[in-house]
């Protein structure tokens, strides 16, 4: 059985580590699944000989051919719906939709069919569909290629929503998604696909619903996800030079959400900031704040704070794009303001 990890900081259990990037890490997980499970196949635009828009399937077409690397027209509702039927027959479709904005055209298939079919059949039919693609701002791709929407999809019962931030987590969580009988949205921030980190050569999985404590600290807790985690790491490390001790937590999955790890941290620090690139209203920070107030109110020494991107479409201009998404300096200032409460 594969080893199951629980931390963004890889343990050393005899594995062979290399420095590879995020996209390479997910490709290893997908390649392993296709080698060991002939029911796994990939649908999407450009996933065949081209190797995917972000090298998500590089080299796989030569191994498995067009039957398992299936290029599609631009018809998201069509191939997402097709994947639901295919999964009901016992196969494991992987839908590569490039950008999360594109599968908004297939929300009816995802919410009304893929998310509900196990409930509607009392578990007789499984729905092992993996929907994967990019999220996030930072590359001047404007509002049709910069969405996040993980909070939106996490709202619907039946879906697992996974948002890895490191190459180590990307490989382990993707491997877990590829053996799950539940439908999974694996959302990959466009700006960290080339981020590198230590990743074992060996196969391993990371269970859903287990947050990672990325930095330990005592003065305040910061929860951040995807690209916001990387910026928060930089802010936390800068503040550490001034003697400020911040505990940094990466939820890794939004559904299920590991509130226990967050609550345990807040019990230690007494303060909580949630940093999230996407919109504040009805978002991830609001859900975390509600859970902490409900279950850990007496542990709080200050009001919970949220730092979000602007509640507006992502602009094309690099200058304006930077202005609407929390940067390192914004996170540093938000932490300092929280400590003054």
């Amino acid at each position: 059985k594969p080893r199951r990890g629980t931390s963004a900081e890889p343990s050393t259990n005899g594995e062979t580590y290399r420095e590879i990037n995020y996209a390479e890490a997910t490709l290893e997980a997908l390649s392993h699944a296709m080698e060991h499970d002939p029911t796994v196949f990939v649908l999407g635009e450009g996933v065949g000989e081209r190797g995917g828009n972000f090298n998500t399937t590089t080299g796989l077409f030569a191994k498995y051919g067009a039957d398992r690397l299936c290029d599609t027209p631009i018809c998201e509702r069509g191939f997402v719906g097709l994947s639901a039927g295919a999964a009901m027959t016992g196969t494991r479709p992987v839908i590569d939709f490039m950008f999360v904005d594109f599968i908004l055209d297939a929300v009816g298939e995802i919410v009304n069919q893929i998310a509900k079919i196990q409930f509607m059949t009392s578990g007789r039919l499984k729905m092992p569909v993996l929907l994967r693609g990019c999220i996030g701002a930072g590359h001047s791709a404007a509002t049709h290629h910069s969405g996040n929407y993980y909070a939106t999809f996490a709202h619907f019962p039946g879906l697992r929503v996974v948002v890895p931030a490191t190459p180590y987590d990307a490989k382990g969580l993707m491997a877990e998604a590829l053996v799950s009988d539940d439908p999974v949205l694996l959302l990959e921030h466009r700006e960290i696909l080339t981020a590198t980190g230590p990743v074992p050569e060996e196969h391993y999985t990371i269970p859903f619903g287990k947050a990672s404590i990325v930095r330990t600290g005592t003065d305040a807790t910061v929860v951040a996800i995807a690209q916001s985690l990387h910026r928060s790491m930089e802010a936390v490390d800068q503040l550490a030079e001034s003697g400020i001790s911040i505990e940094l937590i990466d939820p890794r999955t939004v559904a299920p959400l590991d509130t226990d790890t967050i609550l345990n941290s807040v019990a230690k620090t007494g303060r909580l900031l949630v940093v999230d690139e996407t919109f504040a209203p009805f978002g991830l920070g609001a859900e975390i704040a509600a859970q902490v107030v409900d279950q850990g109110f007496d542990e709080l020494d200050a009001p919970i704070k949220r730092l979000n991107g602007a509640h507006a479409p992502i602009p094309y201009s690099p200058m304006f794009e930077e202005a609407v998404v929390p940067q390192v300096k914004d996170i540093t200032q938000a932490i300092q303001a929280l400590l003054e409460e």
Side-chain angles (χ1 to χ4, degrees), residues 72-238:
T72 69
I74 299 174
C75 57
E76 279 75 13
R77 182 159 194 172
F79 60 74
V80 170
L82 185 157
S83 75
M88 285 190 275
T89 70
T91 63
R92 289 187 172 273
V94 177
I95 303 301
D96 190 326
F97 50 76
M98 288 197 284
F99 290 97
V100 70
D101 312 80
F102 298 169
I103 60 161
L104 297 181
D105 291 331
V107 163
E109 299 294 339
I110 295 170
V111 172
N112 270 332
Q113 307 300 334
I114 289 174
K116 294 178 179 178
I117 198 67
Q118 295 189 91
F119 170 78
M120 292 168 66
T121 64
S122 298
R124 290 189 297 274
L125 290 177
K126 303 301 181 186
M127 189 49 60
V129 175
L130 170 55
L131 301 120
R132 58 129 11 143
C134 284
I135 59 173
H139 45 282
S140 293
T143 192
H144 282 165
H145 303 76
S146 302
N148 284 290
Y149 310 124
Y150 35 79
T152 301
F153 287 108
H155 179 72
F156 297 107
L159 299 176
R160 305 215 180 230
V161 182
V162 179
V163 190
T166 68
Y168 177 82
D169 286 350
K171 180 175 178 178
L173 288 167
M174 177 121 185
E176 180 80 354
L178 286 162
V179 296
S180 173
D181 285 334
D182 299 325
V184 179
L185 279 92
L186 190 136
L187 305 178
E188 307 157 279
H189 200 289
R190 172 68 179 80
E191 293 306 290
I192 58 178
L193 292 181
T194 56
T196 60
V199 178
E201 289 183 1
E202 293 79 9
H203 180 65
Y204 63 96
T205 65
I206 296 173
F208 299 151
K210 296 292 184 182
S212 171
I213 301 174
V214 180
R215 299 284 190 274
T216 58
T218 56
D219 293 332
T221 299
V222 173
V223 177
I225 200 165
Q227 172 74 323
S228 293
L229 178 76
H230 289 263
R231 290 180 173 151
S232 296
M233 282 193 283
E234 189 174 341
V236 167
D237 291 344
Q238 288 178 6

Side-chain angles (χ1 to χ4, degrees), residues 19-29 55 193 196:
E19 288 277 330
I20 62 173
N21 69 36
Y22 189 114
E24 292 167 336
T26 59
L27 181 58
E28 286 189 352
N55 295 317
L193 292 181
T196 60

Side-chain angles (χ1 to χ4, degrees), residues 298-315:
D298 291 340
E299 308 293 349
L300 290 167
D301 297 325
I304 298 169
K305 298 296 183 181
R306 293 181 289 163
L307 178 63
N308 284 83
H311 192 209
I314 300 295

